[in-house]
Amino acid sequence: MTFDRSTLTERFRELAALNRTLDLTLTDARGDVPYTERFHSPDGVREFLARLGADPAEAIVVEREDDRMGGSMAIALAPAGDGEPRIATFANSRRVDGGTHLEGFRDGVAAVLGPDARLTAVVSVKLDEPSYEGCRRDILGNTPVRACVAEAVQQALETWRDEHSERAAAPTAR
């Protein structure tokens, strides 16, 4: 079996950002000179947000556990700026095409900034018992997650808005 180093590198980088205490090393001993790269991301989802093209200095980060959803969340969001808004969603460090955590994220943003806010975001949840839906099982279906994520995002954005009243319109600009 042959492994593609660039695919593994990207996945390890992703895993390190989604699990900031994780420390991974990839070594490729093929060829004359072994290749080794370490993956550790103490800034977690904030660092992942930067890889999506957002300014990490502008990031609003929400990290919390919530027993109502049976797990935890790590969310980072920032204005999309001139680029196209991008949202990466994960459940238990697995990339998914959306679901209740994405719906909750959108609900929380819409409650504070309106439905047309142009944001780049990483929305990651870790659940004790994830429920996947869709023909490829790539949509998170845990119903309580939606309300928990919406509440967390709304609270974070309201706090940001209150602390930055002079810039409060920035995330929805353009």
Side-chain angles (χ1 to χ4, degrees):
M1 180 180 290
T2 303
F3 295 97
D4 179 50
R5 184 170 65 202
S6 64
T7 300
L8 290 172
T9 297
E10 182 57 30
R11 182 63 178 144
F12 281 22
R13 187 171 286 120
E14 195 173 82
L15 285 170
L18 295 171
N19 303 278
R20 63 184 171 146
T21 60
L22 194 60
D23 196 338
L24 299 167
T25 302
L26 173 64
T27 301
D28 185 352
R30 299 175 293 187
D32 295 336
V33 179
Y35 169 87
T36 299
E37 187 171 349
R38 179 177 177 232
F39 303 90
H40 181 66
S41 183
D43 286 337
V45 291
R46 181 185 302 268
E47 185 173 314
F48 197 117
L49 189 68
R51 288 196 5 250
L52 293 177
D55 181 353
E58 295 287 320
I60 298 169
V61 178
V62 178
E63 293 179 309
R64 69 165 68 163
E65 290 190 28
D66 195 321
D67 292 336
R68 297 172 298 165
M69 66 181 223
S72 62
M73 65 184 86
I75 301 165
L77 59 109
D82 293 332
E84 198 57 36
R86 296 175 60 191
I87 301 176
T89 57
F90 298 87
N92 289 10
S93 299
R94 174 182 168 199
R95 188 177 287 269
V96 292
D97 286 339
T100 53
H101 59 322
L102 177 58
E103 293 166 0
F105 172 77
R106 289 181 174 152
D107 291 346
V109 169
V112 180
L113 302 177
D116 298 325
R118 294 179 37 81
L119 301 170
T120 292
V122 177
V123 182
S124 175
V125 295
K126 292 188 176 73
L127 304 170
D128 297 335
E129 297 180 30
S131 173
Y132 299 103
E133 300 174 349
C135 61
R136 296 182 314 169
R137 313 298 287 167
D138 59 350
I139 298 170
L140 185 66
N142 296 65
T143 304
V145 171
R146 182 175 185 165
C148 295
V149 169
E151 177 184 289
V153 169
Q154 183 174 347
Q155 288 174 353
L157 286 172
E158 287 172 344
T159 299
W160 177 87
R161 183 186 61 200
D162 293 346
E163 292 173 357
H164 301 90
S165 58
E166 72 287 351
R167 296 176 41 213
T172 59
R174 295 186 184 94

